[in-house]
Amino acid sequence: MNGQTVQTDDVRQDLVDRYPPIADHALVGDGETAALVGLDARVAWACLPRFDSPAVFASLLDADRGGRWDLPVRGLRGRHQHYLPSSAVLVTELTTDTGTLRVTDAMLLDGPLAERRSAATGAFGRLLEVTHGTVSVRSVLHRHDGAAVEGSVVPVPGGGEHRLHLSSSRPAEEEHELTAGDRWALTLSWNGGPLELDPDGLAGALGRTDEAWRDWSAGVRFEGAHADLVLRSAITLKLCDHHASGAVVAAPTSSLPEAVGGERNWDYRFTWVRDAAYTVYALRRIGMTQESDAFLDWVLEASTRGDSRPDVLYTLDGTFPEAEVEDGDFEGYRGSAPVRWGNGASGQLQHDVYGEILDCAYQFARHSGALTDERWERLEHLGRLAERHHLTPDQGIWEIRDTGRPFTYSVAMCQVAFDRLARLAELTGRSERGAHWRRLADDLRTELLERAWSEEDGCFTEHLDQPGTLDASLLALPLRRVVEAADPRMVATVEAVARKLSPGGGLLYRYLHADSPDGLEGNEGAFVLCSFWWVDNLVQSGRVQEGRELFESLVARVNHVGLLPEQVDPTTGEFLGNFPQAFSHIGLVSSAVLLARAEAAAD
């Protein structure tokens, strides 16, 4: 590890191996795409015009060739970054020897978030203003492929292209000495631009964008502890919400490593069926009903068409992703190769998908009360697939790249599939079919709890009939109504998971690679969502104070603007994996709501 403070283009950065910490970034977006902005105001990641488009800026994946948008200032001494209240408009303050520069960043919105369903025009606005003293600053923009911005084109998934255009109220790339009150407007536009905005025009557009976010945030409902972080998580999830389709990307980035220098680097700019049930449940509990309904409708439409088995993950358009490829042109974050585009897990067998979809369908029908005969037939088809495959090996929730195994979680989610079909039948007046699925659900639950329980280990195990291994997905069993959290067997399992999989600090590994081979080299960090599942188990089993203490230790790990990664290095606290991770914020929201309700009931 080579830690140092360096001066590059007069931008002072705290770097390790030439890269800033993942945690030193904030997210801006517009419902079609998103960008990461560093504490030094560098745009280090952006795919335009969509989440899954080729990267225009990717210096997080290659410091030299990745592309970036810098605002280098002379004599930088301090950096501070925050969001405007209840908003995704970002403010970065750069303090120099002679003054302070305030940079206000946002992907501009052309109307209320609830109405933004397409990207007729996309624009990233950056308003620079000196608040006191004098600051010398430049704008330096380099695309990762070396192409010029003016007149250049960006490929679009599915074919076609869009032009990029940079508008600047001052000569771009020239150094400008700005004094207190001076402003500089920069707008990178695509998909129908250009937008020629002077400082007053850009300030107005940023103000309207801020108003749109504040209006949307007013609909978030939560009054418990850490309401500010719950709202920030809701905004972050909204930034991962593809407005045009209703899909929610797992994260807006690709190939940020699960272990620095390792090969566990994946593209997360897709929608996992697995995420859907957890996501809609969390969103609905805090008033985000429009997003919940849109995601439910999207996932049911994408995953129940045709007669084949559903896929594990989908593109934003609900189609099968292109093949995973390794990009030899990028060195990877801090040398963590390979960089990958696409995700090979899309072709895996993961039998939990049946239960995930049917749980979504049950949530959908429970709130709408409607279920057409056509959709019911599609859902029963999924149930029949689960009936056929529920005891056959698969790659499991953690998407191992190794020989399939009979994972307890996968079998449990097939039980969930049968249970939700039974509930759906009862809910929608199809009682004659409900009896069949209820019998299957009850029989499989009995078999599962017998075969997953190990008297030798005194807990449930990762695989059926295979004592000696644990994985953190067992903590999800009570959350999916497979077993009660207060069941002594589940309480013992939570204790076993904490004892064997926790490196301390309230963190949990998903599993231990030495005990559970996954076909990959190296290790990974602790998985943030699993710790929130741990909180939920404690609360649901009556150990509310312990759950609160664990929750407090987790929310203390958010970065300077309230964002969470996929994983954390338990030794250093460093953020790892793709960032920000929707699943981590879903976990924060769900645990916060559960704690608030438990504590209110105890008063």
Side-chain angles (χ1 to χ4, degrees):
M1 181 179 295
N2 178 25
Q4 73 271 16
T5 298
V6 301
Q7 195 88 3
T8 304
D9 283 336
D10 294 324
V11 177
R12 177 181 173 274
Q13 301 176 325
D14 297 319
L15 304 179
V16 179
D17 303 327
R18 301 183 301 120
Y19 287 85
I22 294 171
D24 283 3
H25 294 85
L27 186 72
V28 297
D30 64 355
E32 284 289 325
T33 189
L36 292 180
V37 182
L39 272 169
D40 55 3
R42 168 179 287 185
V43 180
W45 176 267
C47 296
L48 304 175
R50 285 197 346 179
F51 292 108
D52 53 357
S53 297
V56 173
F57 306 122
S59 62
L60 273 178
L61 298 183
D62 195 296
D64 298 323
R65 294 168 294 182
R68 64 196 186 277
W69 190 359
D70 283 337
L71 298 175
V73 299
R74 288 191 178 275
L76 181 61
R77 288 189 174 276
R79 303 166 297 171
H80 177 74
Q81 196 172 58
H82 65 276
Y83 286 110
L84 295 181
S86 304
S87 177
V89 176
L90 181 69
V91 175
T92 306
E93 294 177 340
L94 304 176
T95 302
T96 74
D97 296 328
T98 57
T100 298
L101 177 71
R102 181 173 63 203
V103 181
T104 304
D105 284 329
M107 288 192 178
L108 304 179
L109 300 175
D110 54 9
L113 271 72
E115 298 177 5
R116 185 176 171 81
R117 307 301 300 175
S118 64
T121 299
F124 187 168
R126 317 198 75 184
L127 183 62
L128 286 59
E129 181 176 8
V130 174
T131 57
H132 78 272
T134 300
V135 176
S136 295
V137 58
R138 293 188 295 139
S139 169
V140 181
L141 188 156
H142 296 294
R143 284 185 55 175
H144 90 79
D145 56 7
V149 170
E150 300 299 332
S152 64
V153 297
V154 177
V156 177
E161 58 187 28
H162 292 289
R163 293 187 178 277
L164 291 174
H165 177 81
L166 179 65
S167 168
S168 175
S169 63
R170 297 172 182 266
E173 298 220 11
E174 289 186 13
E175 186 172 59
H176 298 279
E177 186 174 283
L178 308 179
T179 59
D182 285 345
R183 296 186 297 176
W184 182 2
L186 292 156
T187 307
L188 181 66
S189 61
W190 60 89
N191 203 15
L195 294 175
E196 298 287 354
L197 294 176
D198 60 18
D200 287 341
L202 181 54
L206 289 167
R208 292 188 294 275
T209 299
D210 179 51
E211 181 180 7
W213 279 107
R214 286 187 287 108
D215 287 348
W216 178 85
S217 294
V220 174
R221 299 285 181 261
F222 181 77
E223 297 180 355
H226 296 295
D228 57 334
L229 287 180
V230 170
L231 176 57
R232 180 53 52 195
S233 289
I235 292 171
T236 304
L237 291 169
K238 186 65 175 174
L239 286 167
C240 293
D241 171 27
H242 183 238
H243 298 187
S245 67
V248 177
V249 295
T253 57
S254 176
S255 299
L256 293 178
E258 297 174 0
V260 174
E263 65 172 331
R264 300 170 184 271
N265 318 313
W266 315 112
D267 190 347
Y268 275 16
R269 300 170 304 147
F270 303 99
T271 297
W272 269 253
V273 171
R274 177 179 304 114
D275 297 14
Y278 290 104
T279 302
V280 298
Y281 185 62
L283 298 188
R284 187 171 289 279
R285 295 176 89 179
I286 58 172
M288 295 172 65
T289 55
Q290 177 181 335
E291 291 76 14
S292 173
D293 289 345
F295 193 14
L296 277 170
D297 192 56
W298 178 90
V299 75
L300 291 176
E301 179 60 30
S303 60
T304 61
R305 64 169 71 107
D307 295 328
S308 61
R309 66 177 176 86
D311 294 320
V312 174
L313 60 99
Y314 293 88
T315 68
L316 302 176
D317 299 320
T319 59
F320 192 77
E322 295 183 3
E324 179 180 292
V325 297
E326 297 182 0
D327 193 333
D329 291 336
F330 285 74
E331 72 170 7
Y333 179 80
R334 291 175 56 189
S336 303
V339 167
R340 293 183 172 95
W341 309 111
N343 196 300
S346 58
Q348 288 186 348
L349 289 176
Q350 297 179 25
H351 299 323
D352 68 295
V353 70
Y354 307 119
E356 315 290 2
I357 297 169
L358 283 157
D359 192 43
C360 283
Y362 175 64
Q363 292 188 54
F364 185 86
R366 189 176 63 175
H367 290 100
S368 71
L371 191 67
T372 65
D373 288 342
E374 178 185 6
R375 181 159 280 179
W376 169 257
E377 289 298 326
R378 291 183 183 181
L379 295 175
E380 276 210 305
H381 171 66
L382 296 179
R384 289 189 289 272
L385 289 173
E387 187 176 2
R388 185 183 313 157
H389 298 296
H390 65 277
L391 294 177
T392 60
D394 71 346
Q395 272 64 48
I397 181 176
W398 307 129
E399 302 181 343
I400 65 169
R401 300 203 172 191
D402 199 0
T403 304
R405 301 192 284 271
F407 286 95
T408 295
Y409 182 83
S410 297
V411 179
M413 289 308 297
C414 289
Q415 191 276 338
V416 168
F418 303 153
D419 176 81
R420 301 308 189 265
L421 274 170
R423 293 174 185 269
L424 276 165
E426 296 162 4
L427 184 67
T428 61
R430 296 177 171 89
S431 56
E432 73 286 355
R433 295 300 303 151
H436 168 73
W437 296 113
R438 174 53 56 204
R439 183 173 63 256
L440 285 177
D442 292 344
D443 289 348
L444 182 54
R445 182 180 185 276
T446 299
E447 181 178 6
L448 168 71
L449 297 185
E450 288 178 354
R451 295 178 61 184
W453 176 258
S454 168
E455 289 292 345
E456 176 185 343
D457 299 317
C459 63
F460 293 123
T461 57
E462 182 182 19
H463 312 108
L464 300 188
D465 306 319
Q466 296 181 28
T469 61
L470 284 170
D471 82 317
S473 69
L474 296 168
L475 299 181
L477 298 183
L479 312 183
R480 312 315 287 271
R481 301 183 183 182
V482 176
V483 60
E484 294 292 329
D487 186 307
R489 294 169 296 181
M490 194 64 224
V491 172
T493 299
V494 172
E495 292 300 314
V497 167
R499 187 170 55 251
K500 189 167 184 178
L501 299 184
S502 177
L507 299 173
L508 287 175
Y509 293 117
R510 296 186 294 178
Y511 51 93
L512 299 181
H513 300 143
D515 295 339
S516 304
D518 58 11
L520 296 164
E521 297 294 328
N523 294 310
E524 62 181 55
F527 201 78
V528 174
L529 176 64
C530 295
S531 290
F532 285 116
W533 286 350
W534 187 5
V535 172
D536 295 347
N537 274 267
L538 292 172
V539 174
Q540 289 183 344
S541 63
R543 300 160 66 181
V544 178
Q545 182 57 36
E546 291 179 64
R548 167 59 67 188
E549 292 171 0
L550 176 56
F551 182 79
E552 293 295 330
S553 74
L554 296 172
V555 298
R557 293 183 180 275
V558 301
N559 77 347
H560 61 288
V561 288
L563 303 185
L564 285 168
E566 176 189 16
Q567 299 184 15
V568 171
D569 185 319
T571 302
T572 65
E574 180 183 5
F575 282 15
L576 296 170
N578 285 304
F579 171 82
Q581 178 79 359
F583 239 172
S584 300
H585 287 279
I586 289 163
L588 188 154
V589 169
S590 295
S591 294
V593 172
L594 191 63
L595 273 165
R597 291 182 177 179
E599 290 167 343
D603 289 341

